[in-house]
């Protein structure tokens, strides 16, 4: 048996999906809250990773999370919109803002892209922090969850149902990004990451592809925000703070940038470690930081990335000359 | 019929004039070689033609249309493709996927996001045809980073060919190659389709003299001489400045 790199990646994702769906309902209500939190964070990490496909690493991704959360919260609480419609409008706002911000941001790359995205997210943060509409720094409660009882029989105000819903949404988001990655568009993003100049020379408009990736990333990021604010029922400027942008970046890097499933594992790990560390230590972020530095040193390409490299190595030693699978 | 034309093309880097009043015409379907000592402005001239650099003054025309203001991507769209002096590939993709990427961009398939790339079977066949054309069909599944240097040079040409260009610019296709690899590349470029206007920058005079219908000699950014291989060999000014006083090309057999 010799699975390709891609097949192993998909297998890991499928195993996590099935395990989560089976195990989660059998656990305590508290653990179910953690499952929901991890699944939402995983969706957020996926939105960062699809952008990273094109070679852009954002340090302002909490902007999209906050945007989705505030759009959903604002529409449902302040405008009394039905939650279902608010979900779609929040995602649409994520796309539109992604396009507008992207027009400026994706002209840059590397450290400049990091600075531009960070600045944009901080602008949003300072706006909602002071905005009287959203009750500023104090935030705003009473954000409802989706009502899908008549459709599916799940009452989302139930921890077990909500966690299941979050896991299913995460699986859907994962399928979406995995599918896009194998389309010509996704392949082009991957090629842009490897060599943007050659794409230009071959007639590909790097700016347009990256802009589209940024908008897609904005849509998924906003969706993660919609889920997040349904989970906590509470709007807070902290959703858009740079600390959240840092968290999701750490998650993606620790899990393995560009592997998608790595972000999901990273999200689970962060939520779990946060929980056990914060209940035992006061300065738990210090310990978390130490653990992540250790992982980054030992596994430079992240957990999943390093594991896949290791399986590559084994395959190569078994069958020389090593041939890669064709992804055409 | 003229395909590509430059009129009084100039480019300076600071006070260094690397392209000076270069006025040339390239007839469709003919083969050209650009020669000249290191620093003569050959690659800069390619960068100007392909749009990697913008000229300070002067014009570039493709089929009579002024394309001076178009960027590199737009020029690729209208049929100017180039290979690079240093390999400029997608290192993590296989040979076939590298070519398929170029084909997907050329055919306008690249932006589509509703169907897996695999389902475009035409694309795969086109990529295979290009791989065959450059002699890489046996290496089609190998990742670029595992490919020998010489084969990477062949792939460099393949990517440009996959663009189905009107004008093909090859920047030192044999640079850094072993004699065997050079022989393969020589074979490859001689068998390029005759309908493509091909311009090659090359130091190997054996290849140049056999390949080119016409040779342009650049020196200090100026056109020193142009003509058929026979005319260039006979030109006293070229002998003096480039081929060496004894009329023998440096690093080359006597013609």
């Amino acid at each position: 048996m010799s699975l390709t790199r891609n097949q192993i990646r998909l297998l890991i994702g499928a195993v996590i999906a099935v395990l989560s769906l089976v195990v989660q309902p059998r656990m305590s209500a508290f653990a179910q809250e953690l499952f929901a939190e991890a699944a939402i964070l995983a969706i957020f990490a996926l939105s960062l990773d699809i952008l990273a496909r094109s070679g852009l690493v954002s340090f302002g991704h909490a902007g999209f999370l906050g945007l989705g959360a505030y759009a959903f919260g604002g529409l449902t609480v302040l405008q009394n919109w039905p939650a279902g419609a608010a979900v779609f409008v929040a995602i649409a706002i994520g796309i539109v803002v992604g396009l507008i911000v992207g027009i400026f941001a994706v002209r840059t790359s590397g450290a400049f892209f990091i600075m531009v995205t960070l600045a944009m997210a901080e602008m949003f943060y300072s706006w909602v922090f002071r905005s009287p509409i959203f009750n500023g720094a104090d935030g705003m409660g009473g954000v409802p969850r989706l009502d899908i009882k008549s459709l599916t029989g799940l009452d989302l105000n139930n921890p077990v149902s909500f966690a299941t819903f979050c896991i299913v949404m995460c699986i859907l988001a994962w399928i979406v990004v995995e599918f896009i990655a194998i389309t010509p568009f996704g392949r082009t993003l991957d090629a842009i990451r490897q060599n943007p100049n050659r794409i230009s020379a071959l007639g590909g408009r790097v700016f347009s592809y990256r802009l589209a990736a940024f908008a897609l990333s904005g849509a998924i990021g906003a969706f993660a925000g919609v889920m997040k604010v349904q989970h906590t029922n509470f709007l807070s400027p902290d959703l858009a703070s740079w600390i959240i942008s840092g968290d999701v970046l750490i998650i993606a890097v620790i899990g393995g940038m560009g592997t998608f499933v790595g972000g999901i594992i990273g999200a689970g790990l962060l939520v779990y470690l946060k929980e056990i560390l914060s209940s035992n230590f006061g300065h738990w972020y210090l310990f978390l930081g130490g653990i992540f530095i250790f992982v980054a040193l030992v596994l430079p390409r992240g957990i999943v990335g390093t594991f896949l490299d290791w399986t590559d190595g084994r395959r190569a030693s078994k069958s020389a000359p090593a041939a890669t699978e064709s992804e055409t | 019929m003229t395909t590509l034309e430059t009129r009084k093309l100039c480019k300076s880097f600071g006070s260094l004039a690397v392209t000076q009043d270069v006025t040339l015409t390239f007839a469709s379907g003919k083969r050209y070689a650009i020669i000249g000592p290191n620093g003569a402005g050959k690659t800069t001239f390619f960068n100007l033609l392909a749009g990697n650099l913008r000229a300070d003054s002067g014009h570039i025309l493709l089929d009579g249309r002024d394309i001076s203001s178009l960027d590199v991507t737009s020029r690729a769209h209208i049929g100017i493709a180039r290979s690079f002096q240093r390999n400029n590939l997608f290192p993590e993709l296989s040979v076939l996927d590298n070519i398929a990427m170029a084909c997907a961009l050329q055919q306008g398939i690249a932006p589509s996001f509703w169907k897996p790339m695999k389902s475009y079977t035409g694309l795969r066949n086109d990529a295979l045809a290009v791989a065959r054309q450059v002699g890489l069909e046996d290496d089609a599944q190998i990742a670029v980073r595992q490919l020998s240097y010489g084969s990477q040079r062949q792939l460099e040409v393949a990517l440009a060919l996959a663009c189905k260009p009107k004008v093909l610019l090859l920047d030192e296709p044999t640079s850094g190659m072993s004699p065997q690899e050079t022989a393969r590349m020589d074979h490859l470029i001689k068998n390029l389709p005759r309908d493509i206007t091909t311009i090659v920058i090359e130091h190997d005079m054996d290849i140049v003299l056999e390949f080119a219908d016409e040779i342009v000699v650049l020196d200090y950014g100026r056109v020193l001489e142009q003509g058929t291989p026979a005319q260039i060999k006979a030109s006293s000014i070229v002998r003096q400045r480039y081929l060496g006083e004894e009329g023998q090309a440096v690093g080359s057999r006597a013609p």
Side-chain angles (χ1 to χ4, degrees), chain A residues 195 198 205 326-328, chain B residues 71 77 88 97 117 141 156:
Chain A
N195 191 345
R198 191 59 192 250
R205 192 65 66 195
S326 168
E327 292 179 343
T328 313
Chain B
D71 69 2
H77 272 293
N88 193 0
D97 288 342
M117 189 125 159
Q141 307 301 332
E156 186 61 47

Side-chain angles (χ1 to χ4, degrees), chain A residues 79-280:
Chain A
Q79 302 291 319
N80 290 315
W81 275 43
V87 172
F88 289 104
V89 172
I91 293 172
I93 290 174
I95 295 173
V96 171
V97 172
L99 287 173
I100 295 168
V101 173
I103 285 172
F104 303 100
V106 305
R107 288 179 195 283
T108 65
S109 60
F112 290 102
F113 183 75
I114 285 175
M115 297 317 293
V116 172
T117 48
L118 175 63
M120 293 286 184
E122 285 298 295
M123 278 165 65
F124 180 75
Y125 173 81
S126 35
W127 175 56
V128 290
F129 193 85
R130 286 165 195 279
S131 166
I133 312 167
F134 298 111
N135 204 20
D138 292 337
M140 205 168 71
V143 181
R145 291 182 179 176
L146 271 171
D147 184 2
I148 55 167
K149 204 169 179 181
S150 52
L151 245 68
T152 61
L154 287 178
D155 179 5
L156 293 187
N157 291 318
N158 224 328
V160 60
S161 305
F162 188 72
T164 305
F165 179 64
C166 290
I167 294 169
V168 170
M169 286 301 118
C170 179
I171 294 170
L172 276 180
W174 178 59
I175 292 171
V176 166
V177 295
E178 285 285 359
F179 179 78
I180 285 177
I182 61 167
T183 64
F185 171 71
R187 290 261 182 266
T188 309
L189 292 185
D190 194 43
I192 286 172
R193 178 180 56 78
Q194 294 176 43
N195 191 345
N197 292 335
R198 191 59 192 250
I199 290 289
S200 307
L202 292 171
R205 192 65 66 195
V206 170
F207 171 78
S208 310
Y209 286 98
R210 283 185 162 162
L211 184 60
F214 198 69
L216 173 67
S217 179
I220 302 173
F223 179 65
V226 168
M227 297 296 292
K228 178 89 185 162
V229 76
Q230 286 185 66
H231 186 208
T232 57
N233 305 115
F234 191 81
L235 269 180
S236 146
D238 288 343
L239 288 168
S241 95
W242 66 271
I243 297 172
I244 305 289
S245 298
D247 276 352
V248 73
L249 197 55
I250 288 170
I251 287 168
V253 170
I254 290 296
M257 211 79 167
T259 62
F260 295 142
V261 71
I264 297 173
I265 292 176
L269 205 62
L270 183 91
V271 170
Y272 178 71
L273 286 177
K274 211 178 201 174
E275 193 44 49
I276 55 167
L277 290 176
S278 64
S279 53
N280 292 310

Side-chain angles (χ1 to χ4, degrees), chain B residues 96 99-100 103-104 106-107 109 120-133 162 164:
Chain B
L96 199 63
I99 303 173
C103 292
Q106 195 273 329
Q107 296 171 18
I109 291 169
Y120 295 87
T121 46
L123 202 61
R124 190 184 163 81
N125 293 335
D126 292 345
L128 271 171
V130 176
R132 217 168 287 128
Q133 201 179 350
K164 295 204 167 80

